Amino acid sequence: MKVLGIVTSPRRGANSQTLVENILAGAKEAGAKTEIVRLCMMNIQPCLGCNKCKTEDGCVIEDEMTALIEKLEGADAVVLGSPIYWGRLNAQAYPFIDRLYALVKSDFTTDFPKGKKLAVALTCGGMEPEAMKPVNDYVKFVFGFLGFSDGGFICQNRCLLPEDIAQFPETLQKAKDLGRALVK
């Protein structure tokens, strides 16, 4: 089994990345192969809205999204980790999410491999954990078009500074448990 972690945070090693790393550590303990990618280190351009992906073979933009889609296709489970800015995913997440549109046909079916799990890991500053649920629902809705099933959700608030997640060892343990559950 392979579990792919995708981190949207622009801050290397900060809260959402640490949360994803702990999920991947749990998956690795359960026997999975793991990989992590940081979107801010990749050249992923925004969708042009040209709809050529509906009449041609894939997206016309030549960037690193093609390689990331190959990683998504090769994974059995994906963990999307993001900080929450102003009640939504951060800006780095949206070019990636919008470009998934190229994988959906004009009738909203897809040939993308089915049977994969998606876990969502979110961190934020002041919002209460219940307020992050709509973001989880949105991400699961988008990935649902590709045939992903719900692999879990974890979040932690009160994470303003890059290492604040360390104050919540119980959340980090839950993240490892989530990673192990992804492998089952």
Side-chain angles (χ1 to χ4, degrees):
M1 174 172 217
K2 182 160 188 192
V3 181
L4 175 65
I6 300 174
V7 177
T8 72
S9 178
R11 296 192 300 192
R12 180 182 297 274
N15 298 307
S16 57
Q17 181 175 336
T18 300
L19 199 53
V20 170
E21 287 170 346
N22 277 268
I23 295 170
L24 295 180
K28 193 170 191 174
E29 289 171 8
K33 292 180 182 178
T34 64
E35 180 181 1
I36 192 166
V37 296
R38 295 183 62 236
L39 291 183
C40 66
M41 301 303 293
M42 300 181 77
N43 175 22
I44 298 177
Q45 299 299 309
C47 177
L48 300 173
C50 67
N51 267 342
K52 289 187 179 175
C53 60
K54 305 303 172 237
T55 59
E56 297 179 13
D57 188 27
C59 184
V60 299
I61 301 172
E62 294 181 17
D63 61 8
E64 292 180 271
M65 186 67 181
T66 303
L68 185 51
I69 288 171
E70 289 174 7
K71 290 179 186 292
L72 285 168
E73 289 174 339
D76 299 295
V78 173
V79 180
L80 181 72
S82 181
I84 299 300
Y85 296 169
W86 294 107
R88 62 171 182 74
L89 298 171
N90 68 329
Q92 290 82 354
Y94 290 103
F96 163 68
I97 289 173
D98 288 349
R99 292 284 297 285
L100 294 174
Y101 177 68
L103 301 175
V104 179
K105 298 177 190 177
S106 58
D107 64 356
F108 288 93
T109 62
T110 184
D111 293 328
F112 192 81
K114 306 289 185 289
K116 299 174 186 297
K117 296 178 185 177
L118 175 72
V120 176
L122 304 175
T123 59
C124 72
M127 292 172 51
E128 290 303 314
E130 309 82 51
M132 287 185 266
K133 185 184 178 312
V135 179
N136 173 56
D137 293 343
Y138 163 72
V139 173
K140 300 273 174 65
F141 171 78
V142 170
F143 277 81
F145 278 103
L146 301 178
F148 280 79
S149 64
D150 188 349
F153 173 53
I154 189 166
C155 63
Q156 181 60 60
N157 63 347
R158 300 192 313 265
C159 290
L160 290 168
L161 300 176
E163 297 176 1
D164 281 352
I165 193 81
Q167 299 174 46
F168 304 99
E170 67 284 352
T171 300
L172 297 176
Q173 183 57 53
K174 287 179 184 176
K176 286 183 181 178
D177 295 342
L178 174 57
R180 283 189 283 278
L182 278 175
V183 177
K184 293 180 182 179

